[in-house]
């Protein structure tokens, strides 16, 4: 193959930031709101009355559950300096009222303006923050968090925003959304920009469809893969793909990383390259389609590929190659899909001008992501894998991923249940999948919610043939089920504990009980060691 090489010269060193404290006045929103707003100084915009302080403008929106306008009095009580509120009809646009002398201005179609408002207010504050945006059906959390961890190991002041919450070197706080809505996201990024100089952001398809990230400019944007999901929101796969591709067409991005090991990735690569954007493609497997992108027809000639991957008990020995460097590393992650995730993450760092040698060194120390194929246990113990997989497809992928790391003598155990009050059809299907891939099955409880755990377990068993039932144990106490699996397993075995991942509660009979599976498994393995 012929590769064209484009060498970058920019230094990877963090930029020196000047503290920007740009004074803000409501009048800055006059053009967007098409109304003359009072000249009132403020620091933050807040959608949630509970977060309001004496430097906030409260944005009162009608939501699906609540009407934010019912919280205006509370926001004013908490110190809001002004309120912008949803107008019920266009004739109300620009109407001013006061609540305890605080102006409340009604704006027609305010929710449609929220992204522009948020971007206008935070623009100057976040201008120096480098953003890495990751989208795709699966692997967003893993990739964005891998980049975040590697950047910390490379001595950068990094932050992460996504499904796990907002994370910096010393702190992790949960968030409601994968990608927060525009006003919350921009407020968060403004706070991050005061301390950090780079932020790895998971970009959900909902966020793209609703323009939650409007106004953001990225240093790197990355695509992991696309598969059947969220079609209730996007209609069909074309609609879903169209929403995802917005990140690469509608937003400024200095560089783009695309995983080719998914046909949608190849389609995206064609689109982005024809738009003459700078692209680095990644691939774990050689294929005819991929060679098309890796050879000289790729005008940018940048790639990252796997040349050798050997599965070991707790990860992969990998040899990787870019257009100009090669490296070997041990990747402490389970499952082939995590090789793809790591390639995407490493490619983002290559685009930030780190050398492959430095990236490989950092990746050897990157920790598994909380509750995503996270493994526990020492050498003399079975490997226990805690994974969030809670759908038939997720369970199958996780089981296949575990099988890849089994030795000939090893057996695969699975501990899982199904949630109550949700998709009942999946129960026997998950039973069938467990029977297909696992040597021993512990059927247990998940979030049974208002349903009977016994009946859910029975529904799971319906998918398992009488012959395979011999390898099934039903233990509805989740902790006991895990404990039984650990006691039954040998050092060479792998136990997949699927369904709860990073969650910290288990909902039984409508009550959410504190339950941290990761902590429990960690303790169990320490006691058993
Ligand atoms: C359907 C949807 O998108 N809902 C989002 C929306 O909620 P909402 O408009 O229904 O808000 P609401 O709860 O009715 O409240 C109305 C207003 O009153 C305010 N309020 C409410 C209570 C109070 O005491 N004080 C107060 O001021 C609220 O802040 C809000 O502005 O605005 C909220 C922020 O204000 C979001 O957190 C919320 O996302 C919910 C949690 C959600 O589940 N969204 C899903 C669809 C989503 O966005 N998912 C993707 C991930 C998809 C994936 O990849 O898996 C995501 O990026 O998270
Ligand atoms: N590249 C991938 N391809 C297929 N499956 C994957 C991939 N990466 C992770 N998974 C599986 O999907 C699960 C979720 O992974 P991750 O949290 O990284 O994805 P996500 O896109 O952020 O999804 P979510 O927003 O639901 O958290 C993992 O537990 C794993 O089983």
């Amino acid at each position: 193959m012929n590769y064209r090489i484009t060498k970058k010269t920019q230094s990877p060193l963090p930029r020196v930031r000047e503290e920007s404290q740009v004074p803000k006045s409501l009048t800055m929103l006059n053009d967007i709101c098409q109304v003359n707003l009072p000249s009132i100084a403020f620091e933050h915009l807040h959608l949630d009355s509970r977060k309001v302080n004496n430097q906030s403008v409260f944005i009162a929106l009608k939501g699906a559950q609540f009407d934010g306008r019912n919280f205006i009095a509370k926001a004013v009580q908490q110190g809001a300096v002004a309120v912008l509120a949803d107008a019920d009809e266009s004739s109300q646009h620009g109407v001013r009222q006061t609540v305890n002398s605080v102006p409340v201005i009604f704006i027609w179609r305010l929710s449609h303006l929220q992204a522009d408002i948020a971007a206008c207010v935070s623009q100057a504050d976040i201008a120096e923050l480098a953003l890495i945006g990751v989208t795709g059906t699966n692997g967003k959390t893993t990739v964005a968090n891998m980049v975040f961890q590697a950047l910390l190991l490379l001595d950068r002041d990094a932050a992460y925003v996504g499904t796990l919450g907002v994370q910096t070197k010393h702190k992790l706080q949960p968030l409601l959304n994968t990608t927060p809505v525009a006003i919350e996201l921009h407020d968060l990024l403004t706070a991050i920009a005061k301390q950090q100089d780079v932020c790895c952001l998971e970009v959900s398809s909902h966020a793209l469809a609703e323009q939650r990230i409007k106004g953001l400019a990225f240093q790197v944007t990355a695509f992991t893969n696309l598969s059947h999901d969220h079609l209730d929101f996007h209609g069909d796969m074309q609609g879903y793909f169209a929403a995802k591709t917005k990140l690469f067409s509608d937003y400024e991005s200095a560089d783009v990383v695309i995983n080719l090991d998914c046909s949608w990735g190849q389609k995206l690569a064609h689109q982005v390259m024809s738009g003459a954007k700078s692209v680095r493609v990644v691939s774990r497997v050689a294929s005819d389609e991929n060679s098309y992108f890796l050879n000289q027809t790729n005008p940018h000639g940048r790639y990252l590929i796997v040349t050798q991957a050997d599965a070991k008990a707790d990860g992969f020995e990998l040899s990787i190659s870019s257009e100009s460097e090669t490296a070997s590393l041990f990747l402490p992650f389970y499952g082939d899909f995590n090789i793809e995730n790591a390639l995407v993450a490493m490619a983002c760092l290559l685009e930030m001008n780190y050398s492959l040698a430095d990236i490989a060194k950092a990746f050897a120390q990157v920790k598994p992501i909380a509750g995503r194929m996270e493994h526990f246990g020492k050498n003399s113990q079975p490997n226990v894998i805690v994974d969030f997989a809670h759908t038939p497809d997720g369970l199958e992928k996780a089981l296949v991923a575990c099988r890849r790391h089994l030795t000939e003598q090893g057996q695969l155990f699975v501990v899982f249940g199904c949630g109550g009050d949700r998709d009942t059809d999946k129960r026997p299907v998950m039973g069938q999948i467990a029977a297909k891939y696992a040597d021993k099955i512990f059927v247990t409880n998940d979030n049974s919610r208002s349903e009977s755990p016994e009946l859910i377990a029975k529904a799971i068993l319906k998918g398992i043939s009488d012959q395979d039932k011999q390898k099934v144990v039903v233990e509805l106490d989740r902790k006991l089920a895990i404990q039984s699996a650990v006691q039954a397993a040998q050092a060479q075995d792998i136990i997949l504990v699927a369904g709860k991942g990073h969650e910290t509660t288990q909902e039984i009979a409508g009550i959410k009980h504190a339950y941290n599976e990761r902590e429990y498994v960690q303790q169990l393995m320490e006691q058993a060691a």
Side-chain angles (χ1 to χ4, degrees):
M1 263 186 243
N2 247 332
Y3 300 119
R4 270 210 273 147
I5 296 167
T6 322
K7 197 84 183 124
K8 297 177 126 197
T9 50
Q10 222 180 308
S11 142
L13 290 177
R15 290 170 295 192
V16 178
R17 283 169 303 137
E18 282 172 27
E19 279 302 328
S20 66
Q21 190 59 271
V22 187
K24 297 176 183 109
S25 162
L26 258 196
T27 53
M28 72 199 289
L29 301 177
N30 284 356
D31 285 349
I32 296 171
C33 296
Q34 294 283 297
V35 73
N36 282 329
L37 295 164
S39 171
I40 293 176
F42 69 99
E43 267 304 309
H44 312 279
L45 298 173
H46 280 305
L47 281 178
D48 189 333
S49 56
R50 290 161 290 198
K51 294 185 183 161
V52 165
N53 61 34
N54 61 6
Q55 294 183 316
S56 312
V57 170
F58 177 52
I59 309 288
L61 296 180
K62 280 182 289 183
Q65 281 189 64
F66 297 104
D67 186 338
R69 295 172 303 187
N70 293 336
F71 302 102
I72 293 177
K74 186 165 177 258
V76 168
Q77 205 183 355
Q78 289 197 196
V81 293
V83 178
L84 298 184
D86 251 337
D88 278 327
E89 47 195 50
S90 57
S91 61
Q92 245 194 343
H93 184 70
V95 168
R96 262 196 222 192
Q97 293 177 354
T98 53
V99 172
N100 283 350
S101 320
V102 171
V104 177
I105 303 106
F106 287 87
I107 307 288
W108 175 234
R109 294 165 67 84
L110 180 58
S111 60
H112 292 84
L113 302 179
Q114 84 152 289
D116 286 312
I117 291 174
C120 170
V121 168
S122 72
Q123 195 177 33
D125 293 335
I126 64 172
E128 293 295 306
L129 184 67
L131 289 172
I132 316 298
V134 183
T135 199
T137 305
N138 291 307
K140 293 181 296 297
T141 305
T142 307
V143 171
N145 206 271
M146 278 176 169
V147 179
F148 160 71
Q149 286 191 53
L151 282 168
L152 290 183
L153 290 159
L154 290 160
D155 282 333
R156 289 287 292 268
D157 281 333
Y160 153 89
V161 173
T163 311
L164 299 178
V166 51
Q167 191 173 9
T168 54
K169 191 169 185 179
H170 303 292
K171 227 171 41 183
L172 171 64
Q173 283 173 309
L175 288 171
L176 222 49
N177 293 93
T178 292
T179 315
V181 297
I183 284 178
E184 291 176 354
L185 175 64
H186 281 260
D187 190 51
L188 202 56
L189 294 178
T190 301
I192 287 171
K194 289 187 181 144
Q195 307 283 334
Q196 280 77 36
D197 67 349
V198 50
C199 179
C200 307
L201 179 67
E202 276 185 59
V203 184
S204 68
S205 54
H206 292 75
L208 286 162
E210 290 175 3
Q211 301 194 317
R212 293 181 194 170
I213 60 166
K214 196 166 185 182
L216 298 185
F218 294 86
Q219 182 162 355
V220 188
T221 45
F223 175 84
T224 58
N225 50 57
L226 196 77
S227 59
H228 192 118
D229 205 359
H230 302 311
L231 297 191
D232 50 340
F233 187 83
H234 299 289
D236 57 20
M237 283 303 281
Q238 282 300 338
Y240 185 27
F241 180 65
K244 286 284 184 200
T245 55
K246 281 184 199 295
L247 181 61
F248 307 93
S249 56
D250 296 8
Y251 295 89
E252 200 183 303
S253 176
D255 294 296
V256 173
V257 170
I258 297 175
N259 174 25
L260 295 178
D261 297 339
C262 157
S263 57
W264 292 102
Q266 291 161 12
K267 190 171 171 176
L268 179 65
H270 275 296
Q271 279 183 18
V272 177
M273 282 174 184
S274 67
K277 265 196 181 162
S278 170
V279 179
R280 178 178 292 277
V281 288
V282 307
S283 177
R284 171 175 70 80
V285 284
S287 72
D288 289 347
E289 290 84 5
N290 290 355
S291 67
Y292 168 81
F293 291 100
L294 298 173
N295 69 23
Q296 72 276 17
T297 56
N298 173 355
H300 313 289
R302 297 206 306 281
Y303 63 90
L304 184 64
I305 53 171
V306 171
T307 50
Q308 176 89 23
D310 294 324
K312 302 286 172 197
D314 47 3
F316 290 97
E317 297 279 5
L318 284 187
S319 299
I320 52 176
S321 177
S322 74
E323 68 283 355
S324 56
E325 294 172 273
T326 57
S328 297
L329 71 146
F330 182 76
L331 183 72
F333 282 78
Y334 258 62
D336 287 302
F337 54 72
N338 271 323
I339 301 182
E340 285 173 33
N341 291 338
L343 282 178
V344 174
M346 288 192 270
C348 290
L349 293 161
L350 281 174
E351 292 309 290
M352 296 177 81
N353 299 312
Y354 290 98
S355 73
L356 195 57
D358 285 345
I359 295 169
K361 224 186 280 172
F363 262 76
Q365 293 178 65
V366 165
K367 301 259 183 307
I369 315 303
R372 267 83 182 154
M373 300 303 286
E374 188 178 8
H375 46 99
F376 298 87
K378 303 212 166 65
N379 279 345
S380 56
Q381 296 182 309
N383 249 323
V384 183
I385 313 295
V386 175
D387 190 72
F388 191 42
H390 53 272
T391 60
D393 183 46
L395 184 66
E396 183 165 18
K397 279 198 182 117
L399 284 162
V400 170
C402 290
R403 277 237 160 260
R404 186 86 160 87
H405 298 266
L406 271 184
T407 57
E408 260 179 43
Q409 301 76 37
Q411 290 205 319
L412 179 56
F413 292 15
V414 63
V415 182
F416 81 104
C418 288
D421 305 338
R422 306 273 150 93
D423 187 3
T424 52
D425 293 350
K426 74 177 183 184
R427 296 170 189 172
V429 183
M430 287 175 75
Q432 197 180 10
I433 288 168
K436 180 171 174 193
Y437 294 100
D439 301 301
K440 204 158 178 66
I441 303 165
F442 293 79
V443 174
T444 188
N445 194 10
D446 196 286
N447 291 320
S448 47
R449 301 191 176 90
S450 72
E451 283 195 65
S452 145
E454 287 84 1
L455 292 183
I456 297 175
K458 274 193 183 149
I460 294 172
L461 292 178
K462 281 202 180 128
I464 304 178
S465 69
D466 286 343
Q467 200 190 342
D468 282 335
K469 284 214 175 80
Q470 292 165 15
K471 54 183 184 183
V472 178
V473 173
V474 178
E475 172 50 75
L476 297 177
D477 181 319
R478 200 165 168 100
K479 284 186 176 175
L480 279 184
I482 299 171
Q483 199 179 20
S484 306
V486 170
Q487 279 164 358
Q490 306 287 316
Q492 68 274 17
D493 298 334
I494 294 176
I495 303 166
L496 173 69
V497 185
K500 298 225 51 87
H502 65 290
E503 291 180 351
T504 50
T505 58
Q506 183 179 20
E507 189 177 337
I508 304 170
I511 298 170
K512 285 190 177 166
H513 301 269
Y515 175 76
N516 186 324
E517 193 145 281
R518 302 171 54 239
E519 275 177 20
Y520 174 67
V521 171
Q522 174 78 37
Q523 275 167 18
L524 195 65
M525 300 314 278
E526 276 166 17
Q527 282 160 13

